[in-house]
Amino acid sequence: MIILGARYTFLDSEINYLKKIYGEIYHIPLQNQSNKEIIKSINTISKNKKLNLIVINARDDLQKQIVKFLTKQELKGARIITIEYFLEKYLKKCFIDDKSTSYLENIHTYNKIQYIQKRVIDFIGVIILSIIAIPSIIISYFKIKEQSPGPLFFKQKRVGIYEKEFCCIKIRSMHTDAEENGAKFATENDPRTFPWGRYIRNTKIDELGQLWNVIKGDMHLIGPRPERRIWIKEFEKEIPYYSKRHLVKPGITGLAQIKYQYGCGKLDAYQKLMYDLYYIKEWSLKLELQITIETFLFIIYRRKQLHCNTSQEFKTLSQEALE
């Protein structure tokens, strides 16, 4: 597999995943290289390895000479696809940037039938999860009373569908003075938590308070996670079309939560938005079931997916490497 260009920067976890599928992955930079050098690099790879996929990851349109050469490679059996299609097909995320709006196609609210299906799933999920939620809330009441006196539930305004705010309910996992110095992003092993709070955060038990939000109709079981308005205002300054995620109701869990956990601010929001938009665009009962199963497995095995760092750990084949 060859990645042509560096328009999208792959995460370390994505590189590792793709290596399992394609084996060796080569990155050929397009900047500061002539057409002749680029073509020579591709020919070198194709002679030594079976070339089955070329991903166009270019910031600008390819020159005619390169396009002509790639067309001949396609006739030889190589598959040529764009980075937008590749990300949706293989990584379940919509690539967004300032130069393209193609990802906006087919991103819309649920139709009537889809919404009914979502609500049926919601109520079935609430009934099943109540078996866990009720005893967890009772135990949490005594643990919180012992370790961090104060209210059992933590209530906070979050932004939901059509950017309307609602009161999001969680089992409290942080001390009552957690934000006395202002709003902060939550992190893994957040020092503002107490022992039981860390446990219920790691096991996602603290999220069970939101079952009430699902019953009320503020949220679905599955959907984009609701954010605070203070963070949304910051994200919208730099992330194009961030408000698109508010076309549907938020969820307790979602595609972004199983693919990408705690991150670092705006990079985190940018990555999660790509998953959220894919979920909205490609919603189906199959996808809903897949997220449900993967959420369950995530909780059971407590898989860590901390993806702050990005990388380009491909085999870079430039002109210098050929000499």
Side-chain angles (χ1 to χ4, degrees):
M1 173 183 173
I2 292 177
I3 307 290
L4 272 182
R7 182 179 168 206
Y8 172 79
T9 303
F10 287 83
L11 302 172
D12 289 335
S13 59
E14 293 171 342
I15 295 172
N16 293 332
Y17 171 73
L18 293 173
K19 283 181 178 179
K20 292 178 182 178
I21 299 175
Y22 294 103
E24 293 181 329
I25 302 175
Y26 297 88
H27 171 231
I28 298 178
L30 297 179
Q31 290 186 331
N32 302 320
Q33 286 206 94
S34 66
N35 291 341
K36 184 178 180 180
E37 290 170 334
I38 295 169
I39 291 172
K40 185 178 179 181
S41 295
I42 297 174
N43 276 329
T44 300
I45 296 171
S46 61
K47 286 179 181 178
N48 299 324
K49 302 288 181 180
K50 182 180 179 182
L51 189 56
N52 51 14
L53 182 64
I54 299 176
V55 179
I56 308 301
N57 192 24
R59 290 189 171 89
D60 301 304
D61 292 337
L62 296 176
Q63 295 185 27
K64 291 182 179 179
Q65 187 179 353
I66 300 296
V67 173
K68 181 180 178 180
F69 173 77
L70 291 177
T71 301
K72 291 185 179 297
Q73 291 298 312
E74 199 166 21
L75 294 174
K76 295 178 182 178
R79 189 180 178 201
I80 315 291
I81 61 175
T82 63
I83 186 64
E84 290 91 345
Y85 180 82
F86 179 79
L87 291 179
E88 289 191 27
K89 177 71 174 178
Y90 296 98
L91 297 179
K92 290 184 168 57
K93 61 200 302 186
C94 290
F95 180 39
I96 53 177
D97 67 357
D98 296 323
K99 295 185 177 182
S100 173
T101 57
S102 61
Y103 62 89
L104 296 175
E105 296 176 6
N106 299 320
I107 297 177
H108 50 72
T109 56
Y110 304 124
N111 60 41
K112 189 174 182 179
I113 295 176
Q114 290 175 328
Y115 180 76
I116 292 173
Q117 290 174 326
K118 288 281 292 180
R119 288 306 279 166
V120 169
I121 293 170
D122 288 343
F123 285 112
I124 292 174
V126 167
I127 292 170
I128 295 173
L129 290 174
S130 293
I131 299 172
I132 302 172
I134 294 173
S136 296
I137 289 172
I138 294 173
I139 295 171
S140 293
Y141 171 79
F142 292 103
K143 290 286 188 179
I144 291 173
K145 185 177 181 180
E146 175 189 348
Q147 298 177 10
S148 180
L152 170 62
F153 294 108
F154 173 71
K155 301 178 181 179
Q156 189 179 70
K157 286 186 176 181
R158 297 291 180 99
V159 177
I161 189 170
Y162 304 136
E163 298 189 328
K164 294 179 181 179
E165 286 187 322
F166 68 97
C167 184
C168 184
I169 302 172
K170 288 187 173 186
I171 301 174
R172 185 166 62 88
S173 62
M174 294 187 181
H175 293 294
T176 54
D177 61 352
E179 291 195 338
E180 64 178 0
N181 296 320
K184 297 179 181 178
F185 285 110
T187 60
E188 188 191 25
N189 298 322
D190 200 304
R192 296 172 295 170
T193 60
F194 46 91
W196 180 252
R198 284 191 290 275
Y199 173 75
I200 62 176
R201 284 178 71 85
N202 289 336
T203 57
K204 306 301 180 184
I205 289 174
D206 64 321
E207 307 284 1
L208 293 176
Q210 292 164 86
L211 293 177
W212 180 243
N213 291 118
V214 175
I215 294 172
K216 286 174 60 183
D218 297 325
M219 299 174 63
H220 289 300
L221 276 180
I222 299 172
R225 285 295 294 149
E227 282 288 357
R228 299 171 66 177
R229 193 172 295 280
I230 185 174
W231 300 131
I232 290 173
K233 288 181 179 179
E234 289 298 314
F235 298 152
E236 288 181 333
K237 291 177 182 178
E238 297 185 24
I239 304 174
Y241 307 103
Y242 185 81
S243 60
K244 271 280 187 180
R245 68 198 301 275
H246 299 129
L247 284 172
V248 299
K249 290 180 182 179
I252 296 178
T253 185
L255 183 62
Q257 279 58 55
I258 61 175
K259 296 293 185 183
Y260 192 104
Q261 291 295 299
Y262 293 114
C264 31
K266 291 175 183 177
L267 171 61
D268 173 53
Y270 178 80
Q271 289 291 335
K272 287 188 174 184
L273 178 61
M274 288 192 275
Y275 288 114
D276 288 336
L277 294 183
Y278 176 88
Y279 171 78
I280 298 171
K281 180 178 180 179
E282 302 293 338
W283 186 88
S284 67
L285 288 174
K286 181 181 178 181
L287 181 58
E288 200 86 344
L289 179 61
Q290 180 183 352
I291 295 172
T292 301
I293 294 172
E294 290 196 32
T295 299
F296 178 74
L297 292 175
F298 173 84
I299 294 172
I300 294 298
Y301 296 106
R302 299 185 192 179
R303 293 178 301 171
K304 293 182 180 180
Q305 301 197 25
L306 307 179
H307 296 325
C308 268
N309 297 322
T310 55
S311 178
Q312 284 286 11
E313 295 179 356
F314 302 118
K315 291 188 176 181
T316 301
L317 195 60
S318 60
Q319 181 62 24
E320 290 78 6
L322 294 172
E323 294 176 349

